[in-house]
Amino acid sequence: MQPANTPLSPPATRLSSAQLLALAIPLLAGAYLLLTSTVTLHETVWKYDVKRLLELGLLPLVLLLISLHAELRNAFAQQIRRIPRWMGAALLVLFALGVLSAVVNSPSAMSLAYSLAEVFLLSLLIISALCVAACRAVAGRHFDQLAMLAVALLGLAVGMQELLGVLAAWGSGLEFHPRVALLHFSWPRFYNQLQSWTLPALAALTLVFPGKPSVRLLAFAAIGLHWYVILATGGRGTALAVVISLAAVVILFARVRRVLLTYHLGGLLLGGILYGLVLWGNQQLVADQPSAQPASRAEMTEPAQIPLENPRAATAPGAASKSGYFMQSITGDRMLSSSGRTDLWKDSLKDARRHPLLGIGPMNYACTGPVYRAAHPHNFPLQLLGEWGVPAFLLTAVLGVFLALKLIGTLRSAAGDWTAVSIFLAAGAIAAALHAGLSGVMVMPASQVCGILLSGWLLGSIPVAANDESPAGKKPWKAIAVLLGGLVLAAALGVFAGKEAAVSSIRLQQTQKMDRLIPRFWQNGKVCRLYHEAVPETP
């Protein structure tokens, strides 16, 4: 692959057939993220479940597009050859440990199916990210431009939709309530996860489209709207992860320091101003309603207590102003609390101590502990530790540290123009990895699609080394085997999800009796309890 095909190199005047196919990937992934974040795609199926089903349709399509053209297959083979042999072996061992843990810990056939679904899905995400990397390597700057437009449009569309929602609430005489924010997500935090991936990368917008004043304004607006949404929804995990990742970039990469500080500080200022105006508007609205009394802390209605299937119930007259939740939930000591996450983490550690070798089984966190458990521990490393076991956790930690150090070393030593864009993409990957220690970044469908787009884009923007080039006349058999394996995994997931979606109404009636419907694979994330013959309760 030619290093000249970099983010800032002149685009070819005519696109080849391979480039056109490659550009379908950011187009499809961008359409998925934009539509599922701004539009109600199905009136009777929960939005989270719709996103999962669409994700399971998108991933095999990514693999099929790579399979259609020899140049794309060769580019994919180059991405496979970049993986050191020991890392490839480690990934196979990790897959085997996940399957073994699922088999050992599943008391029924359907419980096994759910456990294997997670193992298959995580494996398919890795293969899909490599496919995205191959597409970036083939399409070059064209890929950067299309993907960056998709990312920017996502932030602009969602941010403007939220501001219009505030104005609509005020027009009805209601104080804006954060639980009615981001109605196209089952919970506002799920959009915050997308922000961890995309917000740091937006500063690269002016590098992908250099010399255009309108693009500078677009970058400020997109970053500002992102920060407004983070502040308005109290996205503590996202704010912390993004700030740390940007600080790391400032320290490690002097070449992009000025661009980063200019756009991210300017965007933060814009987001803070918008947020301040909304606070002021809410105060004015409450002041004009003298009969409304401030609620005590005991009377506050938290968003988690509003039914997920009808979040608009919070917009009933007086609901928001009675609770005062907007003002109290995103300021003061609530922002310093763990929201119960430390208890969830302790549960994972307990599971690991009781079952150190193979854990309690993939996707079994909510199903082998007390009924009140969440569907996942809101910490991906601890999720692997408790569900997959100590060996799988240590193997993943080694792979993660190696990749992080390799990436930082490559970006610090490289001198090409492509590195500036790649550094901002790396900042998004760092922020998402940090956020995964506080939330379900690696669990939720939209976040997973965003992850394969951004991580594959990052990998594909780094030129392939000479020793990773395909020898003349050598067939990419390993790459073909990986693609076929990915398609088998995708087919199995599609059959499983289709059958389960067909009985979703029955599942819902049963799982609603257990506790709140906290998402995991489906929105009713405790569905695995229905298939356990005996559920051992842990204190």
Side-chain angles (χ1 to χ4, degrees):
M1 198 58 53
Q2 295 299 321
N5 195 14
T6 61
L8 302 183
S9 61
T13 56
R14 185 176 181 180
L15 295 176
S16 66
S17 58
Q19 288 176 318
L20 289 171
L21 278 175
L23 291 176
I25 299 298
L27 184 63
L28 289 171
Y32 172 97
L33 293 171
L34 181 62
L35 291 176
T36 59
S37 300
T38 58
V39 177
T40 299
L41 296 174
H42 201 287
E43 293 294 338
T44 59
V45 179
W46 278 340
K47 53 187 73 71
Y48 184 95
D49 294 348
V50 170
K51 291 176 186 181
R52 179 68 75 195
L53 291 170
L54 290 176
E55 176 196 20
L56 296 178
L58 174 65
L59 296 180
L61 188 56
V62 170
L63 273 63
L64 285 172
L65 284 173
I66 291 292
S67 306
L68 291 176
H69 202 287
E71 187 176 346
L72 291 175
R73 293 196 298 271
N74 289 333
F76 180 75
Q78 288 183 341
Q79 300 302 324
I80 295 293
R81 280 190 289 274
R82 301 176 84 165
I83 302 174
R85 288 186 178 179
W86 71 266
M87 182 179 289
L91 290 171
L92 288 175
V93 170
L94 190 59
F95 177 82
L97 287 172
V99 172
L100 186 59
S101 175
V103 172
V104 168
N105 289 289
S106 297
S108 68
M110 284 310 303
S111 174
L112 175 62
Y114 268 90
S115 289
L116 289 178
E118 175 145 297
V119 179
F120 288 4
L121 180 55
L122 291 176
S123 303
L124 186 57
L125 292 175
I126 295 174
I127 299 172
S128 299
L130 292 172
C131 290
V132 175
C135 290
R136 164 57 187 81
V138 169
R141 183 186 175 188
H142 298 290
F143 186 104
D144 294 333
Q145 291 178 335
L146 188 56
M148 187 59 74
L149 281 176
V151 169
L153 186 58
L154 172 68
L156 288 168
V158 174
M160 290 303 300
Q161 197 171 63
E162 293 309 299
L163 285 177
L164 291 174
V166 172
L167 295 176
W170 289 350
S172 301
L174 297 174
E175 177 190 358
F176 173 71
H177 193 298
R179 187 56 187 97
V180 299
L182 300 165
L183 284 178
H184 298 291
F185 290 82
S186 299
W187 183 242
R189 296 290 174 267
F190 300 167
Y191 178 67
N192 293 152
Q193 295 169 11
L194 302 187
Q195 293 179 294
S196 294
W197 282 110
T198 58
L199 174 54
L202 280 171
L205 191 63
T206 57
L207 303 176
V208 174
F209 298 94
K212 296 183 178 180
S214 58
V215 173
R216 298 192 188 103
L217 294 176
L218 181 65
F220 276 122
I223 293 173
L225 287 170
H226 267 300
W227 276 113
Y228 161 71
V229 172
I230 291 172
L231 293 170
T233 58
R236 295 166 291 174
T238 299
L240 182 64
V242 169
V243 168
I244 292 175
S245 71
L246 294 179
V249 169
V250 168
I251 294 170
L252 294 172
F253 304 103
R255 76 188 76 173
V256 299
R257 192 174 295 158
R258 183 179 63 83
V259 174
L260 183 151
L261 293 175
T262 298
Y263 288 97
H264 277 288
L265 289 181
L268 178 58
L269 177 61
L270 174 59
I273 291 173
L274 292 173
Y275 171 62
L277 290 173
V278 171
L279 288 179
W280 175 82
N282 274 3
Q283 290 175 334
Q284 295 299 115
L285 189 66
V286 173
D288 292 339
Q289 298 174 354
S291 60
Q293 299 296 323
S296 66
R297 185 174 298 273
E299 294 174 328
M300 286 175 61
T301 301
E302 292 200 23
Q305 297 171 341
I306 297 173
L308 287 175
E309 62 272 19
N310 187 22
R312 290 177 176 82
T315 62
S321 58
K322 178 181 178 181
S323 71
Y325 186 83
F326 180 75
M327 293 296 296
Q328 298 181 47
S329 66
I330 53 180
T331 57
D333 57 359
R334 275 191 60 85
M335 290 295 288
L336 301 178
S337 73
S338 67
S339 299
R341 279 168 169 72
T342 53
D343 292 330
L344 300 178
W345 301 344
K346 290 175 184 177
D347 283 348
S348 278
L349 293 173
K350 289 178 183 177
D351 291 338
R353 284 195 296 266
R354 291 182 178 124
H355 308 276
L357 188 59
L358 292 174
I360 61 174
M363 217 183 293
N364 278 343
Y365 180 78
C367 302
T368 58
V371 174
Y372 60 78
R373 262 194 189 183
H376 59 93
H378 292 70
N379 185 308
F380 188 69
L382 291 182
Q383 178 180 314
L384 286 175
L385 178 65
E387 292 189 343
W388 293 47
V390 175
F393 167 79
L394 293 177
L395 195 56
T396 305
V398 170
L399 290 171
V401 170
F402 171 81
L403 287 173
L405 295 177
K406 181 72 172 177
L407 176 63
I408 292 172
T410 299
L411 294 179
R412 281 177 62 86
S413 61
D417 289 337
W418 57 268
T419 55
V421 174
S422 300
I423 287 169
F424 287 112
L425 294 174
I430 293 170
L434 292 171
H435 195 187
L438 300 168
S439 188
V441 173
M442 304 302 179
V443 172
M444 309 304 170
S447 183
Q448 290 174 343
V449 171
C450 193
I452 66 168
L453 175 61
L454 271 292
S455 59
W457 182 6
L458 168 61
L459 179 61
S461 67
I462 301 175
V464 173
N467 58 347
D468 292 326
E469 300 250 354
S470 176
K474 187 175 181 179
K475 299 292 185 181
W477 297 117
K478 186 184 294 185
I480 293 174
V482 172
L483 283 174
L484 289 176
L487 288 171
V488 169
L489 296 179
L493 283 168
V495 172
F496 163 77
K499 289 183 176 180
E500 285 296 280
V503 295
S504 60
S505 59
I506 300 174
R507 285 200 322 261
L508 175 60
Q509 293 175 0
Q510 295 173 294
T511 52
Q512 277 182 323
K513 303 173 185 177
M514 297 177 182
D515 199 4
R516 289 165 46 230
L517 302 177
I518 304 175
R520 181 71 182 258
F521 190 87
W522 303 113
Q523 181 157 321
N524 49 335
K526 297 187 179 183
V527 66
C528 53
R529 281 188 176 271
L530 303 178
Y531 304 120
H532 276 60
E533 296 171 354
V535 181
E537 298 259 339
T538 57

